[in-house]
Amino acid sequence: MKDYIEERALEIAKYIISEKATVRQAASVFGVSKSTVHKDVTERLPKINPLVASMVKKVLEQNKAERHIRGGKATKMKYKAASD
């Protein structure tokens, strides 16, 4: 694996852990696709640093458990803005 890919994977992981960010948020901050972020943190990161990978996995699992709530809030805001 190339050095810049390892560095990117670690930087993305640090960002996700510190900000409790979603894959989509991390992708926009780092200017890569969601697929790249997901591959970096689920496939590449465990080979580079298993401890950090487990921390990222916890954050992503929590985000997944809460996504229906965020989706509901987004829909509520959408219809509220349309009615104004």
Side-chain angles (χ1 to χ4, degrees), residues 12-71:
I12 289 172
K14 289 177 188 175
Y15 176 77
I16 289 174
I17 293 167
S18 67
E19 300 294 322
K20 306 271 189 262
T22 63
V23 169
R24 188 178 296 241
Q25 290 168 331
S28 67
V29 168
F30 288 90
V32 294
S33 69
K34 294 183 299 182
S35 303
T36 300
V37 171
H38 194 267
K39 185 167 185 149
D40 281 352
V41 298
T42 59
E43 293 178 22
R44 295 178 177 136
L45 192 59
K47 295 174 186 173
I48 299 167
N49 191 330
L51 180 61
V52 173
S54 68
M55 292 166 51
V56 170
K57 186 174 181 180
K58 287 179 186 176
V59 173
L60 295 181
E61 285 174 355
Q62 182 168 353
N63 287 342
K64 186 174 182 181
E66 295 172 350
R67 72 180 170 190
H68 67 284
I69 296 168
R70 286 192 304 274

